[in-house]
Amino acid sequence: LARVFQPGKKYPGLPLSRSVGDGYAHEFAGVTHVPELVTTPRWDSDEFLILATDGVWEFVEPQEAVELVFSHLGQGLQRAARELGQLAGTRWTEHEDGAD
C-alpha cells in the first residue's frame, strides 16, 4: 500500500492504493489512477447497494455491512451510511490504536 505524504514531511501519511483519475499522483506517489472495475448484476428485489472504500472493507465483513445497513433503512440511507462508517472507524481505532 503506497502512502502519500505532504511534501517534505513524514507524517501524516495517507495510505492509497488507487486515486481515480489522478495521473499526477501516479507520477510521484506510487498510486495508480486506473480504477478497479467489477460488474455485478442488479435485481428488482435489491433494496440498496453499498459502495465503500477499503477503509470500510478492511474492518467490516460484507454480510455484516449488509445487515447493519438493512437494520437502519427505516431511519434513512444517510443514517445507515453514517452507522457503517462509524463502525469501520471505531474498529480502525481499536485495531490500529488510531494510527495507520
Side-chain angles (χ1 to χ4, degrees), residues 3-75:
R3 292 185 188 279
V4 177
F5 297 93
Q6 184 176 354
K9 308 256 179 164
K10 293 192 177 221
Y11 184 82
L14 176 63
L16 294 175
S17 57
R18 293 168 285 297
S19 183
V20 177
D22 193 341
Y24 181 70
H26 175 69
E27 294 291 324
F28 77 90
V31 297
T32 179
H33 59 289
V34 180
E36 179 180 321
L37 301 175
V38 177
T39 302
T40 304
R42 288 193 53 230
W43 309 101
D44 289 339
S45 59
D46 291 343
E47 295 188 49
F48 55 87
L49 171 69
I50 301 173
L51 298 176
T53 66
D54 57 347
V56 169
W57 301 125
E58 184 175 352
F59 297 103
V60 181
E61 292 296 321
Q63 186 59 42
E64 182 181 16
V66 168
E67 291 169 4
L68 185 143
V69 169
F70 187 78
S71 73
H72 287 88
L73 279 182
Q75 300 164 328

